[in-house]
Amino acid sequence: MESAYTQFQMNRIYWDIETGPKDIEFIKKIMGEFNPANVKIGKNKKPEAVAKQIEDARLAYEPDLLDSACLNAIIGRVMAIGYIDLAGEAHILDADADEATAIDRWFHYMARHKDALFLGWNTVEFDLRFLRQRALCLGLKIPYGLYIHTGYRPRWSRNVDLMFEFTGSTQQYKKLDHVAKALGHTGKNGDGAMFHKLWTSKVPGDRERAGMYLTNDLQMTKFVGDKIVDLHEYVPQEEQGDDVPY
């Protein structure tokens, strides 16, 4: 009879999300309009220099808000969810047109694959948190167990954060690109900060480029996972004691 350990080692689903900003008017409704009083001005500056500094800050305000929104689930949103299924095929759920439906479909996919591990990079500190917060903002039901304990992995034993597995620490951040290259992969094929712009672009070929970027990220995650996951033994939650932060 196949052990739970062997079963979980075989059933691996690799996943990643890509995010982007909500529209700028919504963001400013939450974060506020530009306020010159918030610009830090040094001492003894000439009026012309002060005016220029304030104008530069004003011009940078909206672009900076849009950039920061990609990491903030209150003013950002999920643009796409990518995953490599049990058969090794890559898929992308488009969340651009209907974010709520895409997240809900992903939650149902997770729930249907209870015999699989879901492996990703920095999923504890980013992907799972972002998805959970977006789900709450959108009024979606969250799968049982999909919540976070600060300082630990989620108490959802089907999640494997490969960054944690590599570093052995919740306090140490490493870029997937760097680790993948160290293990022999060619690395990223683009800039993640550009994903949402390419994904929503009307320029021919841009959306395809964004899709290729996400697919490469998934393949890179799988490459790293396949390198390091076999060195760890995963025990189902029900076989763990309550004192194990796993």
Side-chain angles (χ1 to χ4, degrees):
M1 181 177 178
E2 188 179 71
S3 69
Y5 167 66
T6 303
Q7 182 183 22
F8 287 143
Q9 287 290 307
M10 291 174 59
N11 297 337
R12 304 174 189 171
I13 295 171
Y14 293 90
W15 69 293
D16 185 25
I17 69 171
E18 295 293 342
T19 63
K22 293 181 72 68
D23 69 84
I24 189 61
E25 293 307 317
F26 176 87
I27 294 174
K28 288 194 293 185
K29 179 180 176 182
I30 302 296
M31 306 302 291
E33 297 283 348
F34 173 72
N35 185 351
N38 293 332
V39 180
K40 295 181 180 179
I41 304 296
K43 295 180 179 180
N44 302 320
K45 283 198 172 182
K46 295 181 179 180
E48 298 82 1
V50 171
K52 183 178 186 307
Q53 187 172 350
I54 291 175
E55 179 62 11
D56 289 346
R58 185 188 68 78
L59 293 174
Y61 185 68
E62 290 190 5
D64 287 349
L65 281 180
L66 291 170
D67 287 343
S68 67
C70 298
L71 302 177
N72 184 342
I74 295 175
I75 57 175
R77 52 166 308 195
V78 176
M79 302 301 298
I81 303 171
Y83 65 98
I84 293 178
D85 64 19
L86 297 175
E89 297 293 326
H91 306 269
I92 297 178
L93 293 176
D94 178 20
D96 180 26
D98 192 340
E99 182 189 16
T101 296
I103 294 175
D104 194 52
R105 284 179 61 191
W106 179 241
F107 282 168
H108 278 82
Y109 183 85
M110 286 176 158
R112 289 198 307 272
H113 291 80
K114 295 180 179 179
D115 61 343
L117 287 177
F118 285 79
L119 302 94
W121 191 264
N122 197 26
T123 51
V124 170
E125 292 300 325
F126 183 67
D127 302 70
L128 287 174
R129 289 181 189 272
F130 200 99
L131 277 179
R132 184 177 188 276
Q133 291 170 28
R134 287 306 302 151
L136 291 173
C137 288
L138 293 166
L140 299 175
K141 290 184 177 180
I142 300 172
Y144 175 77
L146 195 63
Y147 59 95
I148 305 296
H149 283 268
T150 302
Y152 299 107
R153 282 179 264 182
R155 304 242 354 143
W156 176 45
S157 63
R158 307 311 184 226
N159 173 71
V160 178
D161 188 330
L162 292 171
M163 188 173 77
F164 181 95
E165 299 304 326
F166 182 79
T167 64
S169 169
T170 58
Q171 306 300 317
Q172 191 175 114
Y173 177 81
K174 296 289 184 184
K175 290 186 176 181
L176 172 61
D177 183 50
H178 294 172
V179 174
K181 287 177 179 176
L183 294 176
H185 195 276
T186 55
K188 285 184 176 287
N189 62 353
D191 180 2
M194 291 296 296
F195 180 89
H196 70 90
K197 297 175 183 178
L198 295 174
W199 192 244
T200 57
S201 172
K202 302 301 182 184
V203 177
D206 277 359
R207 189 176 178 89
E208 289 73 17
R209 287 169 56 201
M212 287 188 292
Y213 170 84
L214 177 51
T215 299
N216 183 72
D217 259 20
L218 292 169
Q219 292 168 344
M220 189 163 48
T221 303
K222 183 178 186 302
F223 177 86
V224 171
D226 289 346
K227 288 278 189 179
I228 68 176
V229 128
D230 288 329
L231 303 179
H232 298 76
E233 180 169 340
Y234 294 94
V235 183
Q237 183 71 46
E238 57 270 18
E239 296 179 19
Q240 301 174 27
D242 291 338
D243 59 334
V244 180
Y246 184 78

